[in-house]
Amino acid sequence: MTVTDDQQERQVVSKQRVADHGEVYTAKREVNAMLDLVKEETERIDSRFLEPACGTGNFLVEILNRKMEAVRKQFSKNRHEYDLASAQAVSSMYGVELLPDNVEICRSRLLEQYLDTYRKHLSADASPALERCIRFLLRKNILCGDALTMLQADGNPITFCEWTFIGTGGKVKRRDFELAELLRNVEYDKPKAGEEGLLFADTGEPTFVHLPKREYPLTDYLKLPDYE
């Protein structure tokens, strides 16, 4: 499913969708301006991002673009390392979207962005095994659901996979967490006079241990789809 440049820049698909779902997209200029506020994080390959109303992926596509550029700068001379780091970059991005058609468009845009960038950086196509891995990661990380109720479209709890890449050997540890569990007992630092509060600020003290819903054995990243 291809999205044209004109479609990407449209902020409203239809008045009816705005009325029914409050659907208004953020234009590319505003996306980049907002991401520049956390520029260093967008250029960290393993920095995790969650877009709770991701639409067709305007924010996530730009985050992927920045992460892939970081991969190119660090690993373009070694294809194995590039493949591994680029998969880690994709695994670090999460999205929740209420409308099923937007979910499919978002996944397709991210996949197309990944494959095009890969081809541009390495002058070669991603291997079938790597493309299969990327498709799997996008299917697990971009979910159809409501971030307010924290339920997926099928009524089950929104559950995200934590992908922890171990060293340079390509091994990954997967743990599944319910979104509601991740947000439970989150504490905020109380702001001092004249300061704003910091979300997820480091208080220096452990506050809550989140328990995974399920854990998987340490697995080669290209074989992650086999353990679904």
Side-chain angles (χ1 to χ4, degrees), residues 2-10 28 109:
T2 301
V3 180
T4 66
D5 291 339
D6 179 65
Q7 289 173 317
Q8 291 178 23
E9 285 302 301
R10 283 190 304 174
K28 187 173 183 178
R109 287 182 67 191

Side-chain angles (χ1 to χ4, degrees), residues 203-217:
T203 63
E205 298 180 359
T207 58
F208 190 77
V209 176
H210 300 293
L211 300 177
K213 181 178 180 180
R214 184 175 180 183
E215 295 192 46
Y216 292 76

Side-chain angles (χ1 to χ4, degrees), residues 22-40:
E23 180 187 61
V24 178
Y25 300 141
T26 308
K28 187 173 183 178
R29 183 179 63 181
E30 283 72 31
V31 167
N32 279 302
M34 294 173 70
L35 292 179
D36 283 343
L37 297 175
V38 288
K39 187 174 185 294
E40 291 185 1

